[in-house]
Amino acid sequence: MTGYLVKRILTALLTLLGVAFVTFVLLKSVPGDPVEVIVGEQASEETKAKIRESLGLDRPFFSQFFGYISLACRGDLGVSYITGEPVGRTIAQKFPNTLILALTAALLGVVLGILFGVVAATFRDSFADRATTFVSVLGISTPVYWLGLLLIFFVSYKLKLLPASGTWNQSLACLFLPAIALGTRSACYIARITRSSMLEVLSADYVRTARAKGLSEAAVVLKHSLKNSIIPIITIIGLDFGSYLNGSVLTETIFGWDGLGRYAMTGIMNMDYPVILGTVLIGAAVFVVVNTIVDILYVFLNPEMRTGENSVGS
Amino acid sequence: MSYENFQERWPLLSVSCRKRFKAVARRLPIFCLALSLLTTVGCGRKEDGANVLVMRLRGDVSTLDPAYIVDVSGGTVAAKLFSGLVRFDEKNRLQPDLAEKWELSPDNLTYLFHLRKNARFSDGTPCTAEDAAYSLKRILDPRTLSPRRTLFGMIAGAKDYDPASGSSGVGVEAVDRHTLRIRLTRPHSAFLSLLATPTGYVISRKNVEQSGGRLKKRIVCTGPFVLSEWRRNEAIRMTANPYYFEGKPPLEGVTYRIIPQDFTAVVEFENGGIDVLEIPSAFFVRFKSDPEWKPFILSQTGLNTHYLGFNCSRRPFDNPLVRRAFNHAINKQRVIRTVLEGQAVPAAGPVPPIGGEGSDFGFASSDFGIRILDSILLSCRKILDRIDKILQSATALSPYDYSPQKAVALLRQAKFNFNREISFFVRAEKEAENIAAAIEHDLSQIGIKVSLKKRLWTAYKQAINKGEPDIFYLSWSADYPDAQNFLRPCFYSSHSPSEGNRVRFKNKKVDQLLDALEAASSERGRNQLCTRIEKLIVEEAPWVFLWHRREYVVRQPWVEGWKMYPIYNANKLTDVTIRRGEKR
């Protein structure tokens, strides 16, 4: 296990270095000058040159890149060109907002997705199954942007139940709409995956054996079938949660949620290199960590993976 | 699945769980009630007070330090916190601000400002001439790295001012505690207007030094409001300044909520979460046609000019005949009516009407008599405005009419090559693309081939500055309400594209007149010069003069005293009140 973890950590570090390099190359190839964004076009060339020098933008590419990496290794993600505030500190301030939204959306997705998936698989070809399939296809095909606007229109504007914008620390009520907008798609995916995975497991020999032993249907479904079909569901949850933790640009923009996604978007619009690099690096790190946790969960949930066996029922 | 199947597969559920389902169903209304209480009462928004004016910003401001403000939203917010020596009113007239009066020497080179004796910073310390001198010198100091350093280049010694290398002689000095003297190298008619921009705001030296050289969130200021909270990307909150020299403002505070999405902002406004909203152009028709909101819409023509720019430095647009032909070829009225839904007025020349004309779109008063009187007064004003416009157009400019025939004749006269494809650059944004498509259609009607190239904003500006497009669609907005602010930056030969002369226009006569305009001291002389320059520019046609966009604002019924100010940093909100007990 220790060897596995060391291998994963080393791979993660290499991945982060690669991500930083690719982002750096892309930033330098995009047309536009960050100095002009900071000071406006009408500043004198002398002032622009001094600002360029003070930001280190006049140095050669590799000097800038390795300078940034060496600072990042010490936990310094630089200072925003626009606000003058440390990027690391700002990310730390905004991360709780993104985390709370991600957790709520993921919770919603997991609870509803697994519930409807199990019901659909258990009552295959019933009305509940067809309705779940229809709603999940609809949910997957509806863009988050559109769903967000619909929620604002009906829940906030027509029914006047919940606020249309804000962050949870202004009011907990602000959390519901973005969480629903973000979690619905995830719930639909999880419902479909749970259904197909459950259907496969429900026809397995050991499930028939469990029934033959006289176990209740609830015990058969929840204890024997769901547990054995959980691996693909965990994969989807991990991927979704990882992307939520990076901040959802669209959801955060529509609902005025002050999270990492909006911070990254502001950085991109302002050509604020330290903000872009910082959010991309942290985002990549979050993905790597979440995926590592998911991999470790696989090992715990599936004993075959612990022993190295790879065939089911052989 | 049948009931029998259900019982077969779920024997336990079918017997005992039905009771549980019933129990849950009985408790469902209580659960729903608890949830709704949780969302509406228990988790209620931390509301701004009933006497706090709430407005919306699309994005956060980058800085509130006057030395570094380059954006309109930054200037708009900073105007509530800071005061300059002078300011503009709603009619674009200069008014005293921190300086209660000023004198100009006979040679038009020295200004003497007398500061108010009761002016104080928000920490209670007096605001003196020393502070005003420090504020200006800070802008000019190269170590400050202010992007606006060149704005005050006409101050004596400004260009060489560098205290770090011992060159500290500059024409800004505090004569005594309440008198400031500013000497200029040459007469500059727009100098007072420049002092009214955010760059001219007076700051506290102590505050700057305590903040490490750059003002951030702890700001000591002299304006009507004081910054109380700045949550980046969420909200900027201000409270009334008890030390404001005109007395504490009637509002308890002002809050700017940062809401990027237009639709979300409109819903927040309609739900009462925003008191005053700049109407996003996509929602203009909706508000205008809604009888509930129509009486509360205010509008004015913005100090901006939208234009189709030519690259005047190369063929075929180095020929004025071709440029005039394009001016005749585009049907501005149709684009305004269809694409812009009437939210603009056609432009006759490069300068928009400057004079302040904020007006109610409808009638806010509920009293019938007052409404009739308002209606008569409004009609009279419209008639007078129309007469004024007719007189202006008769004496000043003759705009290009839409005439494809004239356009074709001019192009033939100029021996225009109709087989050549014209590169037309446009910003990759929905409205700009729609406008470009309409213009492309008009040009194709007279046989001109256009190749449309869309670019994102930074790449778009870079392409224009490099001279890549033959034609491009852009706009120019005023920093201060003066024709000079349109004419000099955009048409002075030695100005680079990034300084405003995007079309690379060169004309010696225009340059001479612009120099004379900068030095002119009398109002009448300036007006005459402006008219001559405008006429010359319209004749030369370096732009297709398209339109001036109108600005629309909608307010809640409980907001009173709201006025439209043509210049973004002129509104201090000191006249605005909120009717007690009415705010939702």
Side-chain angles (χ1 to χ4, degrees), chain A residues 31-32 39 41 50 82-83 122-123 145 149 156-157 160 163-165 169-171 216-217 254 258 262, chain B residues 1 9-10 12 43 45-46 62 70 147 231-234 257 261 263-264 268 270-271 462 465 502:
Chain A
V39 298
E41 286 179 291
K50 278 187 180 163
I82 305 294
T83 64
T122 315
F123 304 113
Y145 185 82
L149 293 181
S156 191
Y157 178 61
K160 304 204 186 305
S165 79
N169 48 20
Q170 293 168 340
S171 157
S216 70
E217 191 65 18
I254 296 166
D258 184 26
R262 235 175 103 193
Chain B
M1 187 171 66
R9 292 190 74 175
W10 293 86
L12 288 174
C43 313
R45 181 189 289 276
K46 268 191 266 171
S62 51
V70 288
R231 295 181 71 91
R232 282 213 169 262
N233 277 335
E234 271 189 52
R257 287 179 62 193
Q261 186 69 23
F263 180 70
T264 315
E268 282 285 355
E270 297 213 11
N271 286 349
Q462 207 171 46
N465 291 349
R502 311 256 190 207

Side-chain angles (χ1 to χ4, degrees), chain B residues 17-213:
Chain B
C17 289
R18 263 190 297 174
K19 286 180 185 170
R20 283 185 207 163
F21 276 130
K22 278 184 182 173
V24 169
R26 256 185 252 126
R27 285 172 195 150
L28 200 63
I30 303 168
F31 173 74
C32 289
L33 187 70
L35 189 72
S36 58
L37 280 175
L38 182 80
T39 55
T40 55
V41 181
C43 313
R45 181 189 289 276
K46 268 191 266 171
E47 291 288 352
D48 293 297
N51 196 24
V52 172
L53 188 80
V54 183
M55 288 179 288
R56 176 240 183 167
L57 284 179
R58 259 201 187 86
D60 205 348
V61 301
S62 51
T63 178
L64 286 173
D65 187 330
Y68 302 97
I69 293 172
V70 288
D71 54 334
V72 169
S73 53
T76 308
V77 177
K80 318 303 182 270
L81 303 172
F82 297 96
S83 302
L85 294 170
V86 290
R87 57 183 275 202
F88 286 103
D89 67 7
E90 72 272 21
K91 299 281 180 198
N92 287 334
R93 294 169 303 206
L94 276 166
Q95 299 292 342
D97 205 11
L98 278 173
E100 59 187 353
K101 58 182 177 176
W102 58 89
E103 294 149 26
L104 179 60
S105 64
D107 60 0
N108 294 330
L109 287 175
T110 306
Y111 283 90
L112 209 59
F113 293 94
H114 302 278
L115 270 65
R116 292 172 195 270
K117 293 190 174 58
N118 64 341
R120 283 178 182 276
F121 285 106
S122 50
D123 60 355
T125 54
C127 173
T128 62
E130 281 291 348
D131 292 304
Y134 168 74
S135 305
L136 280 174
K137 284 179 184 172
R138 180 173 174 250
I139 303 284
L140 300 174
D141 189 338
R143 291 171 300 182
T144 310
L145 290 177
S146 169
R148 295 295 200 177
R149 190 183 169 215
T150 50
L151 197 73
F152 294 120
M154 74 294 286
I155 294 177
K159 279 178 185 156
D160 303 318
Y161 181 64
D162 189 359
S165 61
S167 170
S168 55
V170 68
V172 181
E173 58 175 323
V175 179
D176 59 38
R177 211 170 149 74
H178 298 291
T179 315
L180 178 76
R181 181 187 294 136
I182 302 177
R183 280 181 292 108
L184 308 183
T185 48
R186 58 181 196 275
H188 198 290
S189 54
F191 180 66
L192 284 176
S193 299
L194 293 173
L195 282 178
T197 61
T199 318
Y201 288 151
V202 175
I203 53 169
S204 153
R205 179 180 205 144
K206 196 173 130 198
N207 186 211
V208 173
E209 284 167 357
Q210 282 173 347
S211 311

Side-chain angles (χ1 to χ4, degrees), chain B residues 440-455:
Chain B
E440 187 187 13
H441 171 264
D442 284 344
L443 294 177
S444 70
Q445 293 295 301
I446 55 166
I448 295 173
K449 288 179 192 157
V450 169
S451 139
L452 209 57
K453 289 177 179 163
K454 297 167 191 171
R455 297 280 185 278

